[in-house]
Amino acid sequence: MHKLALLFLVFAVLGCTNKAKKFTPEELPIIILTKGNTWIEGMDSKQDRNLLDNGVKDWTPNEANAKTYFYTTEIREIKIGMLAKADKPTTLKVNFNGKSQSVKISNTELELVSIGSFNIENSGYHTLEITGDDNSSSIDISEIMIGGAATEGKVYFAKDDFYWGRRGPSVHLTYQVPEEASDVLYFYNEINVAEGEDVLGSYFMANGFAEGYFGMQVNGADERRILFSVWSPFKTDNPKDIPEDQQIKMLKKGEGVYTGEFGNEGSGGQSYRKYMWKTGTSYRFLLKAEPAGNNNTDYTAYFFAPEIGEWELIASFRRPKTDTYVKRPHSFLENFHTETGNQTRKGLYSNQWVYDTKGNWHEMTTAKFTADATARKESRMDYAGGAEGTSFFMQNCGFFTGWTTIDSMIEREPLGVAPKIDFSLLP
C-alpha cells in the first residue's frame, strides 16, 4: 500500500475511534426520567417543582449544571444516551465518573442523542453531569437512557412517586426499652449535627412517640425551628375535618412558641419555636406523656440549649381518646425539601434514656433501624444508620454509596450516667 494511502487510513481509523458511536433505542433499554432523578444546581423550591413536573425543560446550560444519579451493581461497560432537543445547534460537555465527552445536539424535536460508552470500575452511585457554555440555547432533556453490560445487574433509580424520590429516603431508629422498665413517663435524648450536615430541609427528630414527634429543623438560611407535634386520633390529612371531641387541645406553651394545626401527613396540634441552633453542639430533648383521666393523655415537650443553660417549655398538648404513657420511643431523619434531596445530611443521636413511673432511669443502647417506602421500594439507596461509640447515627440523601440493611438491630456503647433533671423545676 502507498505510504500516503496508509497514513490516510490510520487517520480515518483514529477519527472513528474518537467519534461517539450512535446508539439505537434497543441498545439503551433502561429509561431514567430526569423529572425524578436529575438536579440542577442552584434551583429554589419553585424551580425544582417545575423540574419535578416537566423534567429538564427550557434549560440554559451555562447557568447551572444538570446532574443525574443512578446506582449500578455491575462494574462493566455502560452505554449512555439521552432523549433531548435544542432550539439551535449546541455542544454540551458530559462528564461521567470523571471522564468527559462532547455531545452535539442539532435536532429541534425530542430524539435519541448518543453520549458514549464508559467503563464502570466500582459498583454504587454514579453521576452523569451535563454542562455547556451557550447562554442563548434552550435545552430539553426528558430521559437519560442507558444500556450495556453494566446494566445487566441491578440498577437503582426513582421510577415513580417522584416527589418522594426527590425528597429522598427517611430513616428511623426505634429504641428498645429495657424489660425491667415499668410505664415510661419521660423520654430523654440528645442530638448533635456536625458542621456541613445541617442541610436545608432537614428534620432531625429526637423524641418520637406513638402519637407524635419532637425535634429540630433547618427551615431556611436564617431560620431553624424546634418542632413538637401531636397527631389527632381522628385520621385525616385535613385538620378542619376533625370533630371537636377528637381535636388536640393546647394546655400551655413556652415563650415565643407558635401553636396551631398541621395537615397533609395526618393532622393534629403543632408547636414550634424559632431557634438558630448551632452545629457541633449537643441539644437535649425531654418528652413527658401521662394519662390525664377521662381517656385523655397530656404530652409535654422540653428543650435544653447549652448556650441558654436551662430547660425551656415548648408546649403541652392534651390528646383525647388516649390513655397511655410514652410508647415506641424513636428518632428519625428526613428531608422535606425536594431541591436538597441530592445533598447528604447526618445526625448523631446520643444518650437515650427513659424514666419510669417507679422513679427509675433506664438507658436504651439498642435500636432497630428502619426506612420509609422510598427506600423499601428501592427508589433511593442513599440511607444509613449505625453506632459511633456512645452515639447512634443516621444519614440520608446525597447519593452516597453503602446502605444499611433495613430492619437491622444496632447497638451503641452505654454511657452509664443517667440525666440529672429535677422534674419539680421544669417550667
Side-chain angles (χ1 to χ4, degrees):
M1 183 181 290
H2 192 277
K3 288 185 178 180
L4 185 60
L6 180 61
L7 187 61
F8 177 82
L9 179 61
V10 170
F11 282 142
V13 172
L14 288 175
C16 289
T17 301
N18 291 333
K19 186 176 181 180
K21 179 187 175 183
K22 299 294 185 182
F23 299 124
T24 64
E26 291 74 21
E27 292 178 282
L28 307 173
I30 298 178
I31 305 301
I32 302 174
L33 295 178
T34 58
K35 65 168 63 177
N37 301 277
T38 301
W39 276 256
I40 295 178
E41 294 179 349
M43 277 196 162
D44 59 20
S45 58
K46 182 178 180 181
Q47 292 170 313
D48 195 76
R49 183 72 201 191
N50 289 332
L51 182 57
L52 170 63
D53 291 339
N54 304 305
V56 178
K57 188 174 180 61
D58 299 327
W59 172 53
T60 303
N62 76 314
E63 294 179 349
N65 300 342
K67 296 181 178 180
T68 302
Y69 304 89
F70 59 90
Y71 188 113
T72 67
T73 57
E74 296 294 322
I75 57 173
R76 296 179 285 173
E77 180 194 38
I78 188 169
K79 302 173 182 178
I80 305 178
M82 56 185 172
L83 194 65
K85 69 176 184 177
D87 63 345
K88 66 177 186 176
T90 302
T91 298
L92 299 175
K93 179 181 178 182
V94 179
N95 184 290
F96 181 75
N97 286 359
K99 297 181 180 180
S100 298
Q101 177 76 42
S102 292
V103 177
K104 293 183 179 180
I105 301 180
S106 56
N107 49 290
T108 57
E109 298 295 330
L110 284 173
E111 62 181 57
L112 171 58
V113 176
S114 299
I115 293 175
S117 296
F118 303 85
N119 287 322
I120 289 180
E121 299 177 353
N122 297 290
S123 62
Y125 267 111
H126 311 290
T127 306
L128 181 74
E129 182 176 9
I130 303 177
T131 61
D133 56 11
D134 189 342
N135 62 4
S136 61
S137 62
S138 178
I139 310 291
D140 289 4
I141 306 172
S142 63
E143 302 171 0
I144 301 298
M145 307 167 67
I146 61 175
T151 66
E152 293 175 4
K154 290 280 290 184
V155 181
Y156 300 107
F157 58 93
K159 302 175 179 65
D160 51 27
D161 290 335
F162 294 131
Y163 169 76
W164 297 105
R166 296 187 69 79
R167 277 180 52 163
S170 298
V171 286
H172 331 100
L173 291 172
T174 301
Y175 306 111
Q176 306 301 294
V177 178
E179 292 183 0
E180 62 270 22
S182 59
D183 291 329
V184 173
L185 184 61
Y186 288 95
F187 168 28
Y188 175 91
N189 201 358
E190 299 177 10
I191 292 183
N192 190 310
V193 179
E195 183 178 358
E197 303 290 348
D198 53 335
V199 178
L200 178 68
S202 300
Y203 186 12
F204 300 92
M205 200 283 293
N207 291 33
F209 50 103
E211 299 81 24
Y213 45 83
F214 175 33
M216 59 190 197
Q217 299 177 316
V218 185
N219 304 86
D222 301 310
E223 182 179 335
R224 301 184 177 200
R225 296 179 181 178
I226 309 303
L227 179 74
F228 170 50
S229 297
V230 178
W231 285 302
S232 165
F234 186 82
K235 305 300 182 184
T236 179
D237 284 344
N238 183 4
K240 298 186 183 303
D241 292 340
I242 301 175
E244 185 175 356
D245 66 344
Q246 297 193 50
Q247 293 176 4
I248 302 298
K249 306 297 183 183
M250 195 272 291
L251 302 178
K252 54 185 176 180
K253 63 179 181 177
E255 183 177 353
V257 173
Y258 163 88
T259 58
E261 297 174 323
F262 72 96
N264 298 322
E265 296 178 8
S267 298
Q270 182 185 83
S271 64
Y272 66 82
R273 174 186 168 191
K274 294 181 180 180
Y275 184 76
M276 289 299 291
W277 54 267
K278 303 173 184 177
T279 58
T281 302
S282 291
Y283 292 93
R284 308 175 195 175
F285 299 81
L286 182 68
L287 174 84
K288 181 182 182 182
E290 185 176 28
N294 297 320
N295 200 25
N296 294 300
T297 296
D298 293 347
Y299 299 87
T300 307
Y302 301 97
F303 174 67
F304 187 103
E307 53 267 48
I308 295 175
E310 63 182 5
W311 285 103
E312 297 182 295
L313 172 68
I314 298 301
S316 184
F317 290 111
R318 177 160 293 170
R319 187 180 198 260
K321 300 185 181 300
T322 312
D323 184 16
T324 186
Y325 290 93
V326 177
K327 299 293 186 184
R328 195 163 55 85
H330 64 278
S331 300
F332 66 66
L333 172 60
E334 73 171 10
N335 167 43
F336 53 90
H337 278 197
T338 57
E339 66 268 28
T340 63
N342 64 335
Q343 300 177 48
T344 302
R345 64 218 69 201
K346 178 182 178 182
L348 291 179
Y349 297 72
S350 308
N351 209 14
Q352 294 81 21
W353 292 78
V354 290
Y355 183 86
D356 66 20
T357 52
K358 294 182 179 180
N360 299 312
W361 282 105
H362 303 271
E363 188 172 11
M364 297 183 291
T365 58
T366 303
K368 183 177 182 179
F369 174 80
T370 57
D372 68 353
T374 299
R376 290 182 180 273
K377 71 193 296 185
E378 300 181 340
S379 290
R380 296 282 293 263
M381 308 303 292
D382 45 348
Y383 55 87
E388 295 181 0
T390 58
S391 299
F392 294 106
F393 76 85
M394 285 186 283
Q395 183 178 13
N396 67 348
C397 301
F399 301 101
F400 62 88
T401 296
W403 69 82
T404 300
T405 302
I406 295 175
D407 297 327
S408 60
M409 302 302 295
I410 301 169
E411 188 169 355
R412 65 168 176 86
E413 296 176 11
L415 188 65
V417 181
K420 295 181 179 179
I421 301 173
D422 187 339
F423 300 111
S424 66
L425 298 179
L426 291 174

